[in-house]
Amino acid sequence: SKDFEVLGQRRKKDEDGHECTNYLVPWNGNRSVPVKECSGEKREFIFHDERGNPTHKEIHKSAVYHWNGSAWVIGRGARKKPLYRLPHVLEAVAAGEDIWITEGYKDADTLVKAGVCATSGGSSQTWLPEYTQALRGAKRVILCGDMDEPGQKHLEKLKQTLALAVDEIWEIRAFPGFEFGTGADVTDYLEAGHTLQDLLALMEPVEQDILPTYNTEELLQMDFHTDWIIKPLFAPKGIVMLLGQPAA
């Protein structure tokens, strides 16, 4: 703790009921706020590239490090942080297995312990196009959002982002026994004594708009019929842009 200074205080409490202060940054040499230790162990999350090599390490709500090839260095570095548990996700996509997506890395670990493949991109603000690409071709993904407004916004963004990348999207919007606004998550639900089977019963399919797709050969063989208003400028449906000189 001598190398860090306190920046804030968690809303959650540790096992003894004490407020846990673990918003930390490297100490700048001027400790103006006393450090208040948390009895719980600080969670570390290690990120790996598609080959299984470590790239980043994140201390829960504290600091992010990057691997320079021989040691952990403070900061994200030049590389983007990959999708959490990326090698396992890629294996699950190839095998056609379900992939669970949570808002928090802790929740992904909780689900992995329950026996499923799970990942997280963090919040809706930290989801990257590379994460969507890693999931492309997945047979089914199950989204678990926290029970608060940011959690629901995260769900909505993921549903839109993954709509054309995966075959099926299912979601769990609420955990029975927990009130909306509390930020309750899948870890809270399982730690309350529920099982993976209970979670499966909460899953609901997400209806996706089906957009027809055609290859070039199919398009060339199609006979398109359009009732032109002014051929070939104006059709009953569509968007037209007209450009010309002023007063033309």
Side-chain angles (χ1 to χ4, degrees), residues 196-216:
L196 180 60
Q197 293 301 318
D198 296 328
L199 273 179
L200 296 175
L202 301 177
M203 289 169 43
E204 298 179 357
V206 174
E207 294 186 3
Q208 298 176 250
D209 295 330
I210 300 177
L211 300 176
T213 58
Y214 308 98
N215 59 37
T216 304

Side-chain angles (χ1 to χ4, degrees), residues 171-191:
E171 66 177 342
I172 298 177
R173 299 185 61 88
F175 303 104
F178 295 90
E179 295 182 3
F180 183 82
T182 60
D185 50 38
V186 66
T187 298
D188 297 321
Y189 184 70
L190 292 177
E191 288 181 350

